[in-house]
Protein backbone atom coordinates (compact mmCIF):
# COMPACT_ATOMS: atom_id res chain seq x y z
CA UNK A 1 0.00 0.00 0.00
CA UNK A 2 2.85 2.35 0.88
CA UNK A 3 4.50 1.81 -2.50
CA UNK A 4 1.28 2.62 -4.33
CA UNK A 5 0.79 5.77 -2.28
CA UNK A 6 4.38 6.90 -2.96
CA UNK A 7 3.95 6.22 -6.67
CA UNK A 8 0.71 8.25 -6.77
CA UNK A 9 2.38 11.16 -4.96
CA UNK A 10 5.41 11.05 -7.26
CA UNK A 11 3.28 10.79 -10.40
CA UNK A 12 0.98 13.61 -9.25
CA UNK A 13 3.97 15.82 -8.46
CA UNK A 14 5.45 15.23 -11.93
CA UNK A 15 2.14 16.08 -13.60
CA UNK A 16 1.79 19.23 -11.48
CA UNK A 17 5.30 20.39 -12.41
CA UNK A 18 4.61 19.91 -16.11
CA UNK A 19 1.32 21.81 -15.76
CA UNK A 20 3.00 24.70 -13.90
CA UNK A 21 5.79 24.87 -16.50
CA UNK A 22 3.27 24.96 -19.35
CA UNK A 23 1.06 27.48 -17.53
CA UNK A 24 4.01 29.83 -16.99
CA UNK A 25 4.98 29.51 -20.67
CA UNK A 26 1.47 30.46 -21.80
CA UNK A 27 0.95 33.29 -19.31
CA UNK A 28 4.37 34.85 -19.81
CA UNK A 29 3.74 35.17 -23.54
CA UNK A 30 0.96 37.65 -22.75
CA UNK A 31 3.53 40.16 -21.44
CA UNK A 32 5.80 41.83 -23.99
CA UNK A 33 9.19 42.47 -22.44
CA UNK A 34 11.91 44.72 -23.83
CA UNK A 35 13.84 41.54 -24.58
CA UNK A 36 13.25 37.89 -23.84
CA UNK A 37 15.96 35.39 -24.71
CA UNK A 38 15.76 31.71 -25.54
CA UNK A 39 14.78 29.56 -22.57
CA UNK A 40 14.13 32.53 -20.29
CA UNK A 41 11.38 31.96 -17.74
CA UNK A 42 9.34 34.20 -15.50
CA UNK A 43 6.79 32.55 -13.30
CA UNK A 44 3.44 33.80 -12.03
CA UNK A 45 2.27 35.67 -10.02
CA UNK A 46 4.29 38.50 -11.56
CA UNK A 47 4.19 42.27 -10.97
CA UNK A 48 6.12 44.43 -13.48
CA UNK A 49 5.67 48.20 -13.66
CA UNK A 50 7.05 48.73 -17.17
CA UNK A 51 7.61 45.43 -19.04
CA UNK A 52 9.19 47.22 -22.01
CA UNK A 53 12.17 48.06 -19.78
CA UNK A 54 12.74 44.49 -18.58
CA UNK A 55 15.39 42.41 -20.40
CA UNK A 56 15.72 38.69 -19.69
CA UNK A 57 18.63 37.09 -21.53
CA UNK A 58 18.92 33.45 -22.59
CA UNK A 59 18.24 30.86 -19.88
CA UNK A 60 17.52 33.35 -17.13
CA UNK A 61 14.70 32.75 -14.66
CA UNK A 62 12.50 34.84 -12.36
CA UNK A 63 10.67 32.62 -9.91
CA UNK A 64 7.15 33.49 -8.76
CA UNK A 65 6.03 36.51 -6.73
CA UNK A 66 8.69 38.81 -8.17
CA UNK A 67 7.97 42.55 -8.18
CA UNK A 68 9.82 44.81 -10.60
CA UNK A 69 8.85 48.36 -9.68
CA UNK A 70 10.19 50.34 -12.61
CA UNK A 71 9.04 53.32 -14.63
CA UNK A 72 11.84 54.39 -17.00
CA UNK A 73 14.65 52.42 -15.35
CA UNK A 74 15.78 49.12 -16.90
CA UNK A 75 16.01 45.75 -15.19
CA UNK A 76 18.48 43.48 -17.00
CA UNK A 77 19.12 39.84 -16.10
CA UNK A 78 21.78 38.15 -18.20
CA UNK A 79 22.19 34.50 -19.19
CA UNK A 80 22.18 31.65 -16.66
CA UNK A 81 21.04 33.89 -13.80
CA UNK A 82 18.11 33.12 -11.51
CA UNK A 83 16.11 34.81 -8.77
CA UNK A 84 14.29 32.82 -6.10
CA UNK A 85 10.75 33.72 -5.00
CA UNK A 86 9.86 37.23 -3.81
CA UNK A 87 12.54 39.20 -5.65
CA UNK A 88 11.91 42.96 -5.42
CA UNK A 89 13.56 45.38 -7.86
CA UNK A 90 13.16 49.15 -7.40
CA UNK A 91 14.69 51.31 -10.14
CA UNK A 92 13.47 54.70 -8.92
CA UNK A 93 13.55 57.09 -5.98
CA UNK A 94 10.74 59.52 -5.23
CA UNK A 95 12.02 63.04 -4.52
CA UNK A 96 10.01 65.10 -2.00
CA UNK A 97 8.79 68.15 -3.88
CA UNK A 98 7.34 71.35 -2.41
CA UNK A 99 3.63 71.66 -3.16
CA UNK A 100 3.18 68.00 -4.21
CA UNK A 101 1.63 65.72 -1.57
CA UNK A 102 3.05 62.22 -1.24
CA UNK A 103 -0.29 60.78 -2.39
CA UNK A 104 0.29 62.37 -5.82
CA UNK A 105 4.09 62.16 -5.94
CA UNK A 106 4.48 58.42 -6.54
CA UNK A 107 1.92 57.89 -9.33
CA UNK A 108 2.91 61.12 -11.12
CA UNK A 109 6.67 60.39 -10.93
CA UNK A 110 7.41 64.09 -10.43
CA UNK A 111 11.18 64.60 -10.03
CA UNK A 112 11.77 60.84 -9.91
CA UNK A 113 15.38 59.71 -10.18
CA UNK A 114 15.60 56.37 -12.03
CA UNK A 115 18.66 54.15 -12.33
CA UNK A 116 19.05 50.79 -14.07
CA UNK A 117 19.46 47.55 -12.11
CA UNK A 118 21.80 45.05 -13.79
CA UNK A 119 22.30 41.37 -12.95
CA UNK A 120 25.22 39.88 -14.86
CA UNK A 121 25.64 36.23 -15.95
CA UNK A 122 25.29 33.14 -13.74
CA UNK A 123 24.07 35.00 -10.64
CA UNK A 124 21.91 33.50 -7.88
CA UNK A 125 19.54 35.81 -5.97
CA UNK A 126 18.12 34.15 -2.86
CA UNK A 127 14.60 34.37 -1.47
CA UNK A 128 13.32 37.86 -0.57
CA UNK A 129 16.26 39.75 -2.08
CA UNK A 130 15.75 43.44 -2.83
CA UNK A 131 17.75 45.29 -5.50
CA UNK A 132 17.68 49.07 -5.20
CA UNK A 133 18.19 51.63 -7.99
CA UNK A 134 21.75 51.47 -9.35
CA UNK A 135 22.53 47.98 -8.04
CA UNK A 136 24.90 46.05 -10.31
CA UNK A 137 25.47 42.37 -9.50
CA UNK A 138 28.69 40.99 -10.98
CA UNK A 139 29.00 37.73 -12.90
CA UNK A 140 28.70 34.57 -10.83
CA UNK A 141 27.80 36.37 -7.59
CA UNK A 142 25.53 34.89 -4.91
CA UNK A 143 23.18 37.19 -2.98
CA UNK A 144 21.91 35.61 0.22
CA UNK A 145 18.24 35.44 1.22
CA UNK A 146 16.76 38.64 2.61
CA UNK A 147 19.64 40.85 1.47
CA UNK A 148 19.27 44.41 0.19
CA UNK A 149 21.72 45.53 -2.50
CA UNK A 150 22.21 49.19 -3.39
CA UNK A 151 25.69 49.19 -4.98
CA UNK A 152 28.11 47.27 -7.22
CA UNK A 153 28.83 43.68 -6.21
CA UNK A 154 32.08 42.24 -7.64
CA UNK A 155 32.06 39.08 -9.77
CA UNK A 156 31.85 35.77 -7.88
CA UNK A 157 31.29 37.49 -4.52
CA UNK A 158 29.00 36.00 -1.90
CA UNK A 159 27.08 38.77 -0.15
CA UNK A 160 24.50 38.83 2.64
CA UNK A 161 22.84 41.38 4.88
CA UNK A 162 21.19 44.79 4.96
CA UNK A 163 22.94 46.38 3.22
CA UNK A 164 24.67 43.43 1.55
CA UNK A 165 28.34 42.89 2.41
CA UNK A 166 30.94 40.44 1.10
CA UNK A 167 31.32 37.35 3.30
CA UNK A 168 32.92 34.90 0.87
CA UNK A 169 33.72 33.95 -2.69
CA UNK A 170 32.01 31.40 -4.92
CA UNK A 171 35.07 29.56 -6.30
CA UNK A 172 38.85 29.67 -6.27
CA UNK A 173 40.64 31.31 -9.21
CA UNK A 174 41.36 27.89 -10.71
CA UNK A 175 37.74 26.80 -10.33
CA UNK A 176 36.49 29.99 -11.98
CA UNK A 177 38.78 29.44 -14.97
CA UNK A 178 37.49 25.85 -15.28
CA UNK A 179 33.86 26.95 -14.80
CA UNK A 180 34.07 29.65 -17.45
CA UNK A 181 35.59 27.28 -20.00
CA UNK A 182 32.25 25.44 -19.90
CA UNK A 183 29.90 28.42 -19.76
CA UNK A 184 31.41 31.04 -22.06
CA UNK A 185 33.20 31.39 -25.40
CA UNK A 186 36.86 32.33 -25.09
CA UNK A 187 36.30 36.02 -25.80
CA UNK A 188 33.93 36.35 -22.83
CA UNK A 189 36.01 34.54 -20.19
CA UNK A 190 37.79 36.42 -17.42
CA UNK A 191 41.58 36.29 -17.55
CA UNK A 192 43.66 34.83 -14.74
CA UNK A 193 45.27 38.22 -14.15
CA UNK A 194 41.88 39.91 -13.78
CA UNK A 195 40.64 37.25 -11.36
CA UNK A 196 43.78 37.46 -9.25
CA UNK A 197 43.32 41.23 -8.99
CA UNK A 198 39.72 40.67 -7.83
CA UNK A 199 40.86 38.23 -5.16
CA UNK A 200 43.54 40.60 -3.95
CA UNK A 201 41.08 43.48 -3.68
CA UNK A 202 37.94 41.78 -2.33
CA UNK A 203 38.47 38.17 -1.24
CA UNK A 204 41.69 37.95 0.73
CA UNK A 205 41.05 35.51 3.59
CA UNK A 206 37.42 34.95 2.58
CA UNK A 207 35.80 31.51 2.65
CA UNK A 208 35.21 29.65 -0.65
CA UNK A 209 31.64 28.34 -0.97
CA UNK A 210 31.65 26.20 -4.13
CA UNK A 211 32.87 22.70 -4.87
CA UNK A 212 34.93 21.21 -7.67
CA UNK A 213 33.42 19.37 -10.61
CA UNK A 214 32.83 16.06 -8.82
CA UNK A 215 29.17 15.03 -9.32
CA UNK A 216 27.54 11.79 -8.18
CA UNK A 217 25.71 9.60 -10.67
CA UNK A 218 22.41 10.46 -9.00
CA UNK A 219 23.13 14.17 -9.41
CA UNK A 220 24.17 13.62 -13.03
CA UNK A 221 20.85 11.91 -13.73
CA UNK A 222 18.88 14.79 -12.19
CA UNK A 223 20.96 17.35 -14.07
CA UNK A 224 20.42 15.53 -17.37
CA UNK A 225 16.66 15.51 -16.81
CA UNK A 226 16.57 19.26 -16.14
CA UNK A 227 18.62 19.88 -19.30
CA UNK A 228 16.16 17.79 -21.31
CA UNK A 229 13.06 19.38 -19.74
CA UNK A 230 14.26 22.94 -20.34
CA UNK A 231 15.92 22.27 -23.74
CA UNK A 232 19.00 23.95 -22.30
CA UNK A 233 21.94 24.87 -24.54
CA UNK A 234 25.06 26.81 -23.61
CA UNK A 235 25.05 30.32 -25.09
CA UNK A 236 27.79 30.86 -27.65
Amino acid sequence: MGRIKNWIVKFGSAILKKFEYRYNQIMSKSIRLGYRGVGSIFEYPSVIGNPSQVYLHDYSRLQRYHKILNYTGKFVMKEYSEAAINLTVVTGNHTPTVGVPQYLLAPSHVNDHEMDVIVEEDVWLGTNVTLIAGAHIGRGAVVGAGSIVNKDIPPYAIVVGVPARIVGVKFTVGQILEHEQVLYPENKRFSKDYLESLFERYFDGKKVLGKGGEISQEDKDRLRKVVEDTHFRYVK
Side-chain angles (χ1 to χ4, degrees):
M1 191 68 178
R3 285 185 180 179
I4 296 174
K5 183 177 179 181
N6 289 339
W7 182 86
I8 291 173
V9 170
K10 190 174 181 180
F11 179 76
S13 177
I15 294 296
L16 181 60
K17 282 185 177 180
K18 286 184 179 294
F19 173 78
E20 287 181 341
Y21 179 74
R22 184 59 180 157
Y23 173 78
N24 284 315
Q25 279 187 318
I26 294 171
M27 292 298 293
S28 63
K29 286 179 181 177
S30 65
I31 296 181
R32 183 163 295 185
L33 303 182
Y35 176 75
R36 186 171 182 199
V38 174
S40 61
I41 296 171
F42 64 99
E43 300 175 353
Y44 277 74
S46 168
V47 175
I48 301 177
N50 183 358
S52 70
Q53 295 288 63
V54 173
Y55 301 79
L56 297 182
H57 289 229
D58 295 352
Y59 302 108
S60 59
R61 180 187 286 111
L62 292 174
Q63 293 187 25
R64 65 196 68 184
Y65 300 112
H66 54 269
K67 298 173 288 294
I68 302 174
L69 310 179
N70 65 326
Y71 181 52
T72 60
K74 293 186 178 76
F75 173 62
V76 179
M77 176 175 273
K78 296 189 180 178
E79 57 261 33
Y80 312 139
S81 290
E82 178 163 2
I85 62 172
N86 286 330
L87 171 70
T88 300
V89 176
V90 182
T91 64
N93 292 301
H94 302 309
T95 303
T97 301
V98 173
V100 182
Q102 198 66 46
Y103 180 81
L104 299 177
L105 191 66
S108 66
H109 301 283
V110 170
N111 284 330
D112 270 9
H113 179 57
E114 293 260 335
M115 298 175 68
D116 298 342
V117 172
I118 310 294
V119 177
E120 297 289 350
E121 307 93 336
D122 194 33
V123 168
W124 169 250
L125 305 174
T127 301
N128 292 319
V129 162
T130 299
L131 306 181
I132 302 298
H136 185 173
I137 315 300
R139 176 189 292 180
V142 175
V143 181
S147 299
I148 296 179
V149 183
N150 60 354
K151 58 186 178 182
D152 287 0
I153 301 299
Y156 293 98
I158 299 169
V159 300
V160 297
V162 180
R165 68 190 188 283
I166 299 172
V167 297
V169 61
K170 189 173 184 177
F171 297 130
T172 66
V173 169
Q175 287 172 334
I176 293 172
L177 293 172
E178 182 181 351
H179 185 67
E180 294 206 348
Q181 280 187 339
V182 179
L183 269 65
Y184 309 114
E186 187 173 357
N187 64 339
K188 287 191 66 176
R189 298 172 196 162
F190 289 154
S191 70
K192 184 177 180 181
D193 287 345
Y194 173 70
L195 291 172
E196 287 177 343
S197 70
L198 279 180
F199 271 68
E200 183 178 348
R201 181 175 180 183
Y202 297 108
F203 306 134
D204 185 37
K206 292 290 193 296
K207 182 179 179 181
V208 178
L209 174 69
K211 293 185 176 182
E214 308 86 6
I215 302 176
S216 69
Q217 187 57 52
E218 184 179 358
D219 285 342
K220 287 179 181 177
D221 292 340
R222 284 198 298 266
L223 182 60
R224 183 168 55 250
K225 187 175 187 312
V226 173
V227 168
E228 291 171 354
D229 289 346
T230 59
H231 308 288
F232 176 83
R233 297 289 183 274
Y234 287 106
V235 179
K236 300 298 182 183

